[in-house]
Amino acid sequence: DFPNAPAWPRLPGMETLLAQIAAALRARKQTLATAESCTGGLVGAALTSLPGSSAWYLGGVVAYANDLKLRLLGVAPELLAARGAVSLETATAMAAGARAATGADFAVSVTGIAGPAGGTKEKPVGLAYIGVAAPHGTAAFRHRFSGSRAEIRNAAAEAALRHLLAAIEA
């Protein structure tokens, strides 16, 4: 047991959100993969907290290091050099790369700055980008969260799940 390990937050509505994602994927016989950086696997942990998730969740990549974003998710080195790991474009590339690597119908990605250090004026602590790759295309979203490191990570994971559900239902 790791006494300081954060548990997935039981936020109001989270069980309902997860159940909606599961039901939507099952009904459509579609699958999902994840690509996470700042959330460190929280999205995958939330999804696999549901019994039967193996029917639609293929797995995920926690690509914290840029090298893994390049090698495992196919993010272009020129993109990382020009836009950085925390960008709309990188989130889009991470989601598309996870979808391509796994063959999943959908993929969701999260990249951001959870803090408490590491932020800049251009990219402050709490900035997060979420990418969603779907059969009908890809999209990315910018968010700015506040709070502790744990609160920022949890908020980013929840936002990723909300964007994912919207894409599945689109």
Side-chain angles (χ1 to χ4, degrees):
D1 238 9
F2 296 98
N4 296 324
W8 173 253
R10 292 296 164 209
L11 302 169
M14 187 54 65
E15 281 84 5
T16 301
L17 175 61
L18 291 167
Q20 288 173 316
I21 291 168
L25 289 168
R26 273 197 309 269
R28 294 163 176 79
K29 295 180 174 41
Q30 292 178 312
T31 56
L32 168 65
T34 55
E36 300 181 66
S37 187
C38 67
T39 48
L42 285 175
V43 176
L47 294 165
T48 58
S49 72
L50 294 175
S53 57
S54 61
W56 45 266
Y57 180 64
L58 300 181
V61 173
V62 177
Y64 211 66
N66 284 349
D67 185 53
L68 291 185
K69 289 177 183 73
L70 298 168
R71 290 190 297 123
L72 300 180
L73 298 172
V75 176
E78 306 80 31
L79 173 60
L80 281 177
R83 304 297 299 160
V86 179
S87 67
L88 210 60
E89 296 84 356
T90 297
T92 302
M94 287 172 64
R99 185 169 182 259
T102 62
D105 296 294
F106 293 88
V108 62
S109 69
V110 185
T111 184
I113 303 167
T120 65
K121 186 176 180 183
E122 295 79 25
K123 294 183 180 183
V125 169
L127 178 65
Y129 293 97
I130 295 162
V132 180
H136 52 275
T138 58
F141 308 90
R142 182 186 189 276
H143 288 272
R144 177 79 190 278
F145 303 110
S146 61
S148 68
R149 180 178 177 81
E151 289 167 330
I152 291 168
R153 293 175 72 224
N154 289 336
E158 181 183 0
L161 292 167
R162 293 194 184 286
H163 286 298
L164 171 64
L165 179 59
I168 295 167
E169 292 180 337

